[in-house]
């Protein structure tokens, strides 16, 4: 079942409130609308791994697309492109070789599993599956969102399940790859991502590989596209304020003490959220008080 369109309109309305979250949402909406206006919807895709940050980004992106493809949105709520935002040209030579997407684990190649997930395997690929909703499963007016999911080496089943569920909720045309990242991107750009010039990424300051600009071409040694980081300056608290206030569905692991998700072999519930008085033994991620300890469950 598709996400309720009213929840997408709520994002546009939230951008009008004169507080911190309203400003952050408006900034993200404007950046995405600007990129779409300058490059075209068909040239823009999204990196989606089911984590809390890219769940925020997906919901915001869907709101922009919904506004572009419906008559149900008031003109005053429509995001407007910012002419002062310049699309950078391809990256020049760089002394570093930074992975273009936020890695779930060490980004050194090679890493392979998955599949399986019981959906249609991607033709001519042994380490990718292709997922998209049928016409009857989505009532959303916009075209399918081109997206890529590069899993951790041993992904959580709950996370995989959430990502696949989002293909139906948000109308994703999603290719799910095992790693490594470079080979997955190369294959995707010759397949479901063919013609893609830009990828929306849910990186935030404090993440690995966060030393980027809001608009950043990939480094020369990587497959070439423009990385767009609409929530780069959001905090952990901002993310949870958005998800909870706007009632956005998120992966159930965050209600079981996990605050950052990687592989099953390197991720545990955050020890700061241990609570023997709850049925699960853990408080949910949004109750973390010391946000500098977001990755305390990673090892």
């Amino acid at each position: 079942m598709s996400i309720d369109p009213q929840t997408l309109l709520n994002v546009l309305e939230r951008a009008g409130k004169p507080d911190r979250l309203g400003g952050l949402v408006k900034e993200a909406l404007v950046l995405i609308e600007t990129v779409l206006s300058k490059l075209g919807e068909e040239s823009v895709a999204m990196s989606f791994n089911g984590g809390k940050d890219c769940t925020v980004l997906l919901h915001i992106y869907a709101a922009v697309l919904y506004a572009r493809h419906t008559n149900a949105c008031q003109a005053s709520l429509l995001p407007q492109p910012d002419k002062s935002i310049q699309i950078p040209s391809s990256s020049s030579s760089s002394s570093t070789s930074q992975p273009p997407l936020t890695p779930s684990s060490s980004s050194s190649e090679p890493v392979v599993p998955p599949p399986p997930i019981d959906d249609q395997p991607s033709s001519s690929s042994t380490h990718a599956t292709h997922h998209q909703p049928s016409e009857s499963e989505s009532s959303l007016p916009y075209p399918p969102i081109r997206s890529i999911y590069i899993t951790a080496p041993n992904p959580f089943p709950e996370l995989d399940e959430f990502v696949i569920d989002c293909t139906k909720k948000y109308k994703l045309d999603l290719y799910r790859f095992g790693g490594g990242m470079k080979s997955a991107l190369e294959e995707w750009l010759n397949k479901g991502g063919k013609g893609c010039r830009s990828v929306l990424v849910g990186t935030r300051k404090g993440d690995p590989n966060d030393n980027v600009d809001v608009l950043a071409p990939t480094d020369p040694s990587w497959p070439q596209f423009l990385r767009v980081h609409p929530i780069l300056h959001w905090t952990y608290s901002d993310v949870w304020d958005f998800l909870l206030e706007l009632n956005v569905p998120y992966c159930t692991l965050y209600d079981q003490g996990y605050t950052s998700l990687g592989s099953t072999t390197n991720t545990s519930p955050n020890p700061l959220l241990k609570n023997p008085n709850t049925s699960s033994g853990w408080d949910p991620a949004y109750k973390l008080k010391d946000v500098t300890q977001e990755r305390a469950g990673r090892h």
Side-chain angles (χ1 to χ4, degrees):
M1 181 185 295
S2 297
I3 198 81
D4 181 355
Q6 183 58 52
T7 69
L8 302 179
L9 292 174
N10 291 346
V11 176
L12 306 179
E13 292 169 356
R14 188 62 181 85
K17 292 191 177 179
D19 59 4
R20 175 178 169 82
L21 185 59
L24 290 169
V25 172
K26 182 176 181 180
E27 187 177 79
L29 291 170
V30 168
L31 178 64
I32 293 170
E33 176 59 35
T34 302
V35 170
L36 292 174
S37 296
K38 292 194 174 189
L39 299 183
E41 284 184 22
E42 70 284 353
S43 298
V44 179
M46 173 159 182
S47 170
F48 184 66
N49 65 9
K52 61 189 181 301
D53 301 332
C54 58
T55 297
V56 167
L57 179 55
L58 175 59
H59 200 72
I60 293 174
Y61 185 30
V64 175
L65 292 175
Y66 185 76
R68 284 175 143 245
H69 290 271
T70 184
N71 294 322
C73 182
Q74 298 174 29
S76 61
L77 295 179
L78 293 172
Q80 298 300 315
D82 183 344
K83 294 180 181 178
S84 71
I85 296 175
Q86 299 299 311
I87 302 296
S89 58
S90 299
S91 178
S92 58
S93 59
S94 171
S95 59
T96 63
S97 182
Q98 185 185 68
L101 310 181
T102 302
S104 298
S105 59
S106 171
S107 59
S108 56
E109 310 266 321
V111 169
V112 174
I117 271 191
D118 297 331
D119 208 272
Q120 52 203 97
S122 173
S123 60
S124 75
S125 176
T126 58
H127 66 285
T129 55
H130 182 205
H131 307 265
Q132 59 183 16
S134 65
E135 289 292 328
S136 63
E137 287 178 312
S138 179
S139 58
L140 294 168
Y142 52 74
I145 297 173
R146 294 207 287 176
S147 41
I148 180 171
Y149 168 32
I150 303 175
T151 75
N154 298 283
F156 284 90
E158 297 93 335
L159 190 61
D160 261 354
E161 181 181 328
F162 175 70
V163 170
I164 302 309
D165 186 51
C166 283
T167 65
K168 301 178 178 68
K169 275 189 169 70
Y170 290 95
K171 199 175 179 180
L172 303 184
D173 181 3
L174 180 131
Y175 282 79
R176 171 183 168 272
F177 288 88
M181 188 182 295
K182 184 177 286 189
S183 60
L185 285 169
E186 288 170 346
E187 184 172 337
W188 175 70
L189 285 168
N190 285 310
K191 194 173 297 182
K194 196 159 194 170
C196 175
R197 297 171 59 195
S198 175
V199 178
L200 305 180
V201 185
T203 297
R204 286 188 297 112
K205 289 294 184 182
D207 288 341
N209 304 314
D210 66 348
N211 185 25
V212 291
D213 295 324
V214 170
L215 295 174
T218 52
D219 291 334
S221 61
W222 284 85
Q224 293 298 290
F225 54 84
L226 177 69
R227 293 167 290 170
V228 183
H229 304 106
I231 64 167
L232 185 64
H233 300 295
W234 290 44
T235 66
Y236 181 89
S237 299
D238 295 329
V239 165
W240 281 110
D241 286 346
F242 180 91
L243 293 173
L244 295 175
E245 181 181 331
L246 292 169
N247 199 28
V248 179
Y250 57 82
C251 180
T252 57
L253 290 169
Y254 291 115
D255 287 334
Q256 300 169 33
Y258 291 88
T259 52
S260 177
L261 300 176
S263 237
T264 55
T265 53
N266 70 2
T267 311
S268 302
N270 192 315
L272 296 176
L273 291 177
K274 193 169 183 62
N275 184 351
N277 296 320
T278 64
S279 58
S280 68
W282 301 92
D283 279 333
Y286 57 80
K287 289 196 172 182
L288 183 68
K289 291 185 172 65
D290 184 356
V291 298
T292 66
Q293 297 301 306
E294 176 183 353
R295 297 176 67 84
R298 295 289 198 110
H299 46 82

